[in-house]
Amino acid sequence: MSSHENLLQGPAPTLLADDHPTARERLADGVDPVEVAAQDPASSLVWAVLAEGALTAGTAAGDVEAYAYARTGYHRGLDALRRSGWRGQGPIPAGHVPNQGFLRALLALSEAAHRIGEEAEAERCATFLGDSGTSVDEVRALVPTTK
């Protein structure tokens, strides 16, 4: 009897390489995200953090700024996913720390798009999270709350 791969299970989860640990550490240490972005612009996490901060402003300018930051993080993450073998579908587990920057950028993009009236994009991004095997609530729980 030969063993065959079960093609009905779908693609394996994509686990990004931990290419930006220094950026993550510097953000955790409280270094200004703008400074971290200038030193590690390929990190999706730093762009997600910038977007999340801009969303807290509660202004139209902050929402537009958040959209730009989140879109940058989203595209940096897509580049990393593709380099890791992702082919446009399949799980991107939120429990894998290197995936979290992309997922947070995707959530921030959804929220910023909603705020600026890009409803189709907001919905596409929320659907993308679900299609990636996670949810808006699961990704939102990754975002540290400010005290």
Side-chain angles (χ1 to χ4, degrees), residues 4 48 60 73 87 99 107 127-128 141:
H4 295 354
R87 297 291 177 246
N99 290 357
L107 176 60
T127 299
F128 190 168

Side-chain angles (χ1 to χ4, degrees), residues 18 24 30 40 43 51-52 76 83 85 91 94 103 130-132 143:
D18 197 4
R24 190 172 55 250
D40 194 353
S43 167
E52 293 160 357
R76 291 297 188 146
R83 282 192 306 273
L103 296 170
D131 291 347
S132 298
V143 180

Side-chain angles (χ1 to χ4, degrees), residues 61-72:
D63 295 344
V64 170
E65 187 176 309
Y67 182 86
Y69 286 142
R71 183 159 279 296
T72 301

Side-chain angles (χ1 to χ4, degrees), residues 1-12:
M1 222 172 163
S2 64
S3 164
H4 295 354
E5 181 181 343
N6 182 349
L7 299 176
L8 298 178
Q9 290 180 352

Side-chain angles (χ1 to χ4, degrees), residues 69-108:
Y69 286 142
R71 183 159 279 296
T72 301
Y74 166 78
H75 282 287
R76 291 297 188 146
L78 284 178
D79 292 343
L81 286 166
R82 289 178 182 125
R83 282 192 306 273
S84 294
W86 183 77
R87 297 291 177 246
Q89 63 180 0
I92 305 168
H96 182 65
V97 172
N99 290 357
Q100 293 175 3
F102 168 73
L103 296 170
R104 285 173 62 180
L106 181 57
L107 176 60

